[in-house]
């Protein structure tokens, strides 16, 4: 078993200080017996070794294109930009009336062989 299967690597794209601060508490936490590691994507947008990529507003198209070019369709992508799902992202975060909600775009998830529980999909604001 290599290091990436022993941990969950969450990469941050286009992260500013607020995004880094929001994700910092996840570093070292354990989920399903695996430690969580949070890192920023380098300028090259190389997401190798990432299990999930959070893409902050404005960088969705560029980061998602890079993932497609690198044949990394099995990486869960989460973003907060208005055009995130249209650009090919999988989970789009939306703030509505002070509550954080999410939309799901299943097409890229299916292409990447990613699966979601029916319970999670029921929580989605609008499952495409």
């Amino acid at each position: 078993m290599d290091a990436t299967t022993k941990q969950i690597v969450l990469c941050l794209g286009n992260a500013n200080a607020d995004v880094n601060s929001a994700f910092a508490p996840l570093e070292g936490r354990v989920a399903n017996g695996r430690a969580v590691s949070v890192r920023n994507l380098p300028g090259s947008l190389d997401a190798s070794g990432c299990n999930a990529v959070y893409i902050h507003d404005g960088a969705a198209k560029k980061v998602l294109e890079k993932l497609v070019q690198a044949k990394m369709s099995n990486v869960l992508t989460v973003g907060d930009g208005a055009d995130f799902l249209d650009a090919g992202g999988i989970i789009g975060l939306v703030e509505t009336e002070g509550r954080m909600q999410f939309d799901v775009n299943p097409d890229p998830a299916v292409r990447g062989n990613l699966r979601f529980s029916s319970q999670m999909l029921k929580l989605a604001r609008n499952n495409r």
Side-chain angles (χ1 to χ4, degrees), residues 50-115:
C50 300
N51 300 107
V53 177
Y54 174 79
I55 305 166
H56 184 53
D57 189 33
K61 186 173 182 178
K62 192 162 60 167
V63 174
L64 292 168
E65 284 175 357
K66 187 74 170 181
L67 289 172
V68 169
Q69 290 170 359
K71 295 182 173 42
M72 296 185 67
S73 62
N74 63 337
V75 173
L76 175 64
T77 55
V78 181
D80 60 11
D83 64 340
F84 184 73
L85 296 183
D86 291 334
I90 298 173
I91 297 177
L93 302 177
V94 181
E95 186 175 344
T96 307
E97 298 176 6
R99 294 180 50 208
M100 189 59 73
Q101 298 177 313
F102 65 95
D103 295 328
V104 175
N105 184 1
D107 294 336
V110 169
R111 284 192 300 272
N113 202 28
L114 300 173
R115 295 188 179 106

Side-chain angles (χ1 to χ4, degrees), residues 21-41:
S21 293
F23 283 94
L26 296 177
E27 180 68 37
R29 285 215 162 163
V30 177
N32 291 329
R34 297 167 63 190
V36 176
S37 174
V38 180
R39 67 179 173 98
N40 283 300
L41 283 178

